[in-house]
Amino acid sequence: MSDQPTPDAMTQSAEASSSDNLATRQIRIFDTTLRDGEQSPGASMNLAEKLEVASALVDLGVDIIEAGFPIASPGDFESVRQIATTVRGATICGLARCAEKDIDRAWEALKTAPQARIHVFLATSAIHREFKLRMTPDEIVERAVAGVRRAASHCDDVEFSPEDACRTEHDFLCRVVEAAIDAGATTINVPDTVGYTTPGEIYDRFKMLRDRVPNMDKAVLSTHCHDDLGMAVANSLAAVDAGAGQIECTINGIGERAGNAALEELVMAMKTRQDFYHCQTNINSKRLVPVSRLVSKTTGINVQRNKAIVGRNAFAHESGIHQDGMLKERTTYEIMSPEEVGFTKTDLVLGKHSGRAALADRAKQLGMTLTGEQLQEVFEAFKELADKKKEIYDGDIVALVQQKISETVAPEWTLVDYEVTSGKNQTPNVRVTLRRDDQEFTEQVAQGDGPIDAAFWAVEKITGIQVVCKDFRVRSATLGRDAIGEVNLEVEHEGKTYRGTGVSTDSVESTILAMLNAINRIVAGVASDPGELPQP
Ligand code: KIV
Ligand code: ZN
């Protein structure tokens, strides 16, 4: 059993409204990027990527990492197990339905973590009871209690979520919550599973729970909001205002459908408006931008330019009047400083004479801790790039590191060489050489609609894997005409979707690398589709 702190009375003791209680409360940040976030269509991550994100979350200062849903697939189990075994500095949590085999499997994956939490869930709303579970209210209470008891037999830290709680009748919700706490739940999470509630309504619901559930003081109340109506952050903050001591959220707000509440927005709202919320977290806000970049690169989900806190334009002032005001006094138009959330003043950092230590240090600043072997590989790629480009920007470094990380997906096929000739009114001619198991294979193709299409044909011919390209995006990772071009693509193979990323100063090479990354995922069976179980 792990040695867990009991629910902190301070997190619950707030007399609800921020305006009538000035004591600063500590709010626990429960990050579910690796579980609910990974349920974003196309966002699945491989083991190495999940480990990388988990250690960046520890550096960021999250209290709890929900590492996955161990029963969902062997891959999910293994990533929770490895995170529990190697990542230190946060509680590691695994999700389970209220079923013995789910809970035992979750514990099997978690048991090596010094601080482990089992998170069990069961739907409670009338719609879910009637149409999904076909269970009576009594049966729901019985199963919830059995699930919590089973989890509590493994570890002291047990979270219970009445799924679709925000559409559950008040009386029934109180009954289930009270029974779950009696059975041993130490955190009660109240999810707005379908993103339906409003700030006023969730405030009343949390207040109602605190007023009506007699043993509520024995557990931490937690909020978990989805963003279907664009209110996930506002709703989570309203729940905090009503006494929630834990917020469940994801980096960049990624997650099922429209996503979850965005961690960076919640944290900066509480920090910037401390005067209003009277709350604090353990988050080091300077790590927000690096972690946001890491998650965006790893999942292939871009952050919109105008995204609050971490978007590229979040601190850009275009209007002359604003610029003039800023020059006179920054606070005329800026409520936070870019440095406070981790934007650096200048991102022009390294050149061809920079050494390994400078590269490692810069990568760390950008949220990526490299092992000795990774550093060596990235450094070689960095030197090659520095020969082609005079100035190396942060974006170049992120792109190089991501390329190395994506190559950790069973690099069955690697690129040896390629040559392209193409022109207006001319059939493109592409010659590609790939390596697999120390053997080289070359294919010359004179067909296709342009050199990129021809490269696809050549790679398909050599690997014998046919794909349908569903999405193809090229963007420049940095500034300048010699910028690194990043290709992100999504392909379909035998009914499953796979993602691939490739970076190079040459767009044909980026395309071939992205294609090989996707093909290596096909070979390794790392699809981007949700797992085989119905996801919560
Ligand atoms: O949205 C939801 O209800 C969930 C639960 C499993 C907490 O993700
Ligand atoms: Zn959710």
Side-chain angles (χ1 to χ4, degrees):
M1 286 206 194
S2 57
D3 182 21
Q4 297 298 322
T6 53
D8 181 355
M10 203 172 74
T11 57
Q12 292 282 2
S13 67
E15 255 329 302
S17 172
S18 53
S19 46
D20 58 30
N21 175 21
L22 298 178
T24 299
R25 288 187 299 143
Q26 184 72 26
I27 303 296
R28 294 177 186 184
I29 297 295
F30 175 116
D31 181 278
T32 183
T33 305
L34 295 173
R35 200 277 298 169
D36 224 345
E38 214 219 2
Q39 286 174 217
S40 305
S44 70
M45 299 171 231
N46 67 37
L47 178 59
E49 290 166 339
K50 285 184 182 174
L51 283 164
E52 169 93 4
V53 170
S55 78
L57 290 172
V58 170
D59 278 355
L60 178 66
V62 309
D63 301 284
I64 302 116
I65 295 174
E66 188 163 52
F69 187 13
I71 194 98
S73 68
D76 251 48
F77 175 86
E78 192 48 27
S79 47
V80 176
R81 197 186 68 77
Q82 292 231 18
I83 290 171
T85 308
T86 58
V87 175
R88 295 290 172 261
T91 295
I92 308 300
C93 175
L95 184 68
R97 291 171 298 189
C98 280
E100 279 189 10
K101 64 174 181 1
D102 276 42
I103 296 165
D104 294 351
R105 188 88 175 132
W107 180 244
E108 193 54 34
L110 289 166
K111 66 185 181 195
T112 51
Q115 292 162 272
R117 173 180 294 189
I118 302 178
H119 176 189
V120 288
F121 73 98
L122 180 65
T124 50
S125 66
I127 299 175
H128 282 238
R129 291 193 314 257
E130 199 178 320
F131 298 106
K132 186 176 89 172
L133 300 172
R134 295 182 202 285
M135 286 169 74
T136 65
D138 286 348
E139 287 167 337
I140 296 277
V141 175
E142 202 181 308
R143 189 176 294 178
V145 165
V148 172
R149 284 210 180 114
R150 183 82 187 178
S153 74
H154 293 305
C155 80
D156 300 336
D157 190 348
V158 176
E159 173 168 328
F160 173 71
S161 286
E163 192 190 359
D164 206 15
C166 288
R167 292 194 299 170
T168 300
E169 310 91 307
H170 283 195
D171 287 352
F172 186 56
L173 186 60
C174 288
R175 186 178 156 203
V176 178
V177 167
E178 184 180 350
I181 297 172
D182 271 346
T186 48
T187 299
I188 295 291
N189 180 44
V190 181
D192 181 20
T193 304
V194 290
Y196 180 74
T197 198
T198 67
E201 195 178 77
I202 200 170
Y203 179 92
D204 291 344
R205 187 172 289 271
F206 274 64
K207 186 103 181 49
M208 181 278 298
L209 286 168
R210 295 183 66 228
D211 289 343
R212 288 186 49 190
V213 176
N215 52 2
M216 198 64 249
D217 60 327
K218 302 216 162 40
V220 172
L221 249 183
S222 164
T223 176
H224 173 118
C225 295
H226 281 269
D227 208 29
D228 299 68
L229 292 173
M231 294 193 280
V233 169
N235 287 338
S236 307
L237 291 169
V240 165
D241 213 13
Q246 172 180 288
I247 308 180
E248 302 200 353
C249 45
T250 59
I251 301 294
N252 300 335
I254 64 167
E256 190 79 36
R257 306 181 309 278
N260 291 54
L263 181 150
E264 59 281 359
E265 296 179 21
L266 290 159
V267 165
M268 289 315 290
M270 287 185 282
K271 190 170 182 201
T272 309
R273 296 306 312 274
Q274 240 252 349
D275 63 316
F276 182 82
Y277 289 109
H278 309 295
C279 287
Q280 64 185 27
T281 68
N282 285 328
I283 298 296
N284 172 1
S285 63
K286 290 195 164 61
R287 307 295 307 160
L288 289 170
V289 167
V291 178
S292 159
R293 285 180 180 157
L294 174 67
V295 169
S296 158
K297 294 279 175 185
T298 309
T299 57
I301 299 178
N302 288 340
V303 171
Q304 88 217 36
R305 275 175 181 251
N306 63 327
K307 165 89 174 59
I309 317 294
V310 292
R312 231 204 267 190
N313 289 358
F315 294 88
H317 300 271
E318 186 70 26
S319 125
I321 296 176
H322 288 206
Q323 286 174 354
D324 179 54
M326 283 282 293
L327 289 174
K328 289 177 176 141
E329 168 54 44
R330 188 188 64 78
T331 54
T332 48
Y333 286 102
E334 226 168 58
I335 58 167
M336 304 163 272
S337 76
E339 291 79 23
E340 200 182 340
V341 301
F343 280 109
T344 41
K345 273 217 178 76
T346 162
D347 75 353
L348 171 61
V349 282
L350 302 175
K352 75 195 271 179
H353 301 296
S354 308
R356 227 180 245 95
L359 176 66
D361 188 56
R362 196 63 213 149
K364 176 123 195 351
Q365 288 302 313
L366 293 167
M368 301 168 295
T369 308
L370 301 172
T371 62
E373 202 179 316
Q374 281 171 332
L375 176 60
Q376 184 51 34
E377 284 178 19
V378 174
F379 188 65
E380 277 162 26
F382 165 78
K383 283 285 171 193
E384 250 175 61
L385 183 66
D387 275 343
K388 293 186 201 160
K389 279 188 88 189
K390 234 179 38 223
E391 296 158 336
I392 309 280
Y393 295 87
D394 284 352
D396 292 313
I397 295 171
V398 173
L400 286 179
V401 174
Q402 286 308 314
Q403 181 63 38
K404 285 295 150 206
I405 288 173
S406 63
E407 281 169 14
T408 58
V409 180
E412 189 97 354
W413 291 100
T414 50
L415 176 64
V416 179
D417 199 12
Y418 71 97
E419 210 178 283
V420 187
T421 42
S422 76
K424 199 165 156 51
N425 303 325
Q426 193 188 323
T427 307
N429 204 317
V430 173
R431 194 180 49 75
V432 176
T433 303
L434 303 182
R435 181 176 297 126
R436 183 191 180 183
D437 296 337
D438 291 335
Q439 241 188 298
E440 291 189 358
F441 304 83
T442 301
E443 202 58 63
Q444 176 110 24
V445 167
Q447 72 183 97
D449 208 357
I452 290 198
D453 191 27
F456 263 81
W457 283 103
V459 171
E460 279 185 325
K461 271 196 176 167
I462 298 177
T463 60
I465 295 175
Q466 257 77 48
V467 296
V468 179
C469 185
K470 291 290 191 189
D471 193 12
F472 180 89
R473 276 172 288 148
V474 192
R475 65 172 206 107
S476 106
T478 50
L479 311 170
R481 292 197 310 202
D482 56 355
I484 281 195
E486 181 184 291
V487 169
N488 277 292
L489 52 81
E490 230 172 68
V491 298
E492 206 175 86
H493 175 75
E494 295 179 350
K496 286 193 175 161
T497 307
Y498 299 84
R499 202 161 36 76
T501 311
V503 291
S504 165
T505 46
D506 179 315
S507 58
V508 176
E509 185 172 351
S510 311
T511 305
I512 299 174
L513 291 172
M515 173 91 176
L516 289 179
N517 186 222
I519 282 181
N520 286 330
R521 283 174 189 267
I522 293 173
V523 178
V526 190
S528 301
D529 292 339
E532 65 242 21
L533 279 177
Q535 299 289 310

